[in-house]
């Protein structure tokens, strides 16, 4: 069964450092997303991406965050200057249908900012 | 009022029991309703999705949506220890909005 693959599974970084979280969505999917889940809290929407541009972003997704699809297969989330409160599980998801279908999620990257 | 409300549990049932999980919501623009299962430190796994009101059955799982009451349910029949996980409701306008998740424990 097709999977969304995320790397690394766990990243530890110093506060203020830049991190890039990587995702390989399902190959024929057209819509890509990042969600995050702070420990013990809800899964929260960050950003959706379609046709090489951001289609929607949440208020969490401020200027410190950016997304890119650099080569037609990878989908990345960059956090420019990490803060302690960025520590969370980050999930990539993709969908081949409209925005309103259920998505396939990756296993997540656990980001720990120290 | 929160956009999606879900009792976090934990809900503990004996093996073989019927489990009922529920969410309420406030945004009448939601058209698609989903249930995800999440194991510890893993990504959400889609179990079922439903468009608008009605029922949908898949094996031991039944999803119900009542848009007039803004209430959705997931029923699990003949629950198994392997069903122990966190169950997340999610609903969609242009993005997924998740409930807090209900922790389910099925005891053998």
């Amino acid at each position: 069964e097709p999977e969304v693959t995320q790397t690394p599974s766990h990243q530890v970084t110093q506060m203020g450092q830049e991190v890039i979280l990587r995702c390989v969505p399902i190959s024929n999917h057209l819509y890509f997303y990042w969600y995050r889940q702070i420990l013990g809290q809800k899964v929260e929407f960050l950003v959706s991406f379609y046709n090489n541009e951001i289609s929607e972003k949440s208020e969490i997704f401020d200027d410190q965050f950016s997304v890119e699809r650099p080569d037609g297969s990878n989908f990345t989330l960059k956090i420019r200057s990490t803060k302690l409160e960025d520590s969370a599980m980050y999930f990539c998801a993709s969908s081949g249908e409209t925005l309103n279908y259920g998505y396939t999620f990756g296993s997540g990257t656990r980001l720990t900012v120290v | 009022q929160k956009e999606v409300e879900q009792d976090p549990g934990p809900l503990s049932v004996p093996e073989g029991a019927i489990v009922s999980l529920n969410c309420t919501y406030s945004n009448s623009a939601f058209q698609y309703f989903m249930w995800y299962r999440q194991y510890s430190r893993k990504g959400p796994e889609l179990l079922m999705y439903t468009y608008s009101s009605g029922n949908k059955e898949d094996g031991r799982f039944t999803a119900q949506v009542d848009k007039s009451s803004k209430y959705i349910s997931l029923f699990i029949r003949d629950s198994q220890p392997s069903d122990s996980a966190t169950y997340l409701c999610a609903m969609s306008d242009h993005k997924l909005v998740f409930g807090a998740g209900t922790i389910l424990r099925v005891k053998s």
Side-chain angles (χ1 to χ4, degrees):
Chain A
E1 189 169 328
E3 289 186 337
V4 174
T5 305
Q6 289 186 245
T7 55
S9 56
H10 187 197
Q11 171 113 32
V12 181
T13 189
Q14 297 259 339
M15 191 169 55
Q17 294 297 303
E18 174 183 288
V19 294
I20 297 176
L21 309 183
R22 302 181 192 280
C23 170
V24 179
I26 293 172
S27 61
N28 61 347
H29 280 187
L30 301 175
Y31 298 87
F32 314 110
Y33 314 89
W34 285 100
Y35 286 76
R36 81 171 185 190
Q37 186 175 31
I38 295 170
L39 187 64
Q41 297 188 24
K42 287 186 179 187
V43 178
E44 301 175 290
F45 170 75
L46 290 178
V47 65
S48 58
F49 192 86
Y50 171 71
N51 200 24
N52 282 319
E53 60 183 26
I54 290 172
S55 46
E56 188 171 355
K57 60 183 181 179
S58 72
E59 59 190 26
I60 303 168
F61 194 88
D62 62 20
D63 292 344
Q64 294 297 317
F65 292 87
S66 62
V67 290
E68 197 175 34
R69 188 156 161 80
D71 57 12
S73 61
N74 291 284
F75 180 51
T76 61
L77 174 70
K78 182 193 292 186
I79 309 174
R80 280 189 244 298
S81 177
T82 49
K83 302 187 279 286
L84 294 176
E85 54 265 37
D86 294 327
S87 296
M89 285 288 285
Y90 287 81
F91 295 110
C92 174
S94 69
S95 172
E97 307 285 349
T98 68
L99 290 174
N100 291 321
Y101 266 65
Y103 315 144
T104 302
F105 282 81
S107 292
T109 293
R110 182 155 59 103
L111 177 65
T112 303
V113 182
V114 296
Chain B
Q1 183 185 11
K2 291 181 183 176
E3 202 166 18
V4 178
E5 302 229 31
Q6 183 177 10
D7 186 338
L11 180 63
S12 185
V13 301
E15 183 175 356
I18 296 174
V19 175
S20 172
L21 305 167
N22 312 292
C23 288
T24 59
Y25 64 95
S26 58
N27 186 351
S28 34
F30 291 140
Q31 293 289 338
Y32 288 85
F33 304 90
M34 282 144 269
W35 286 95
Y36 283 85
R37 178 173 60 197
Q38 186 178 29
Y39 295 109
S40 181
R41 299 195 183 277
K42 297 292 185 185
E45 172 196 5
L46 180 65
L47 285 175
M48 299 184 73
Y49 70 85
T50 311
Y51 173 69
S52 197
S53 284
N55 293 0
K56 187 172 184 178
E57 190 172 318
D58 184 2
R60 295 186 295 113
F61 298 87
T62 300
Q64 287 185 352
V65 174
D66 182 349
K67 289 191 72 179
S68 62
S69 304
K70 297 191 178 67
Y71 188 87
I72 72 169
S73 301
L74 178 71
F75 298 95
I76 307 174
R77 289 183 297 281
D78 187 25
S79 56
Q80 303 295 310
S82 57
D83 294 328
S84 298
T86 299
Y87 289 80
L88 309 171
C89 64
M91 26 209 101
S92 177
D93 47 13
H94 294 289
K95 61 186 181 295
L96 286 184
V97 180
F98 282 88
T102 299
I103 298 170
L104 173 66
R105 296 182 185 136
V106 181
K107 299 172 292 186
S108 56

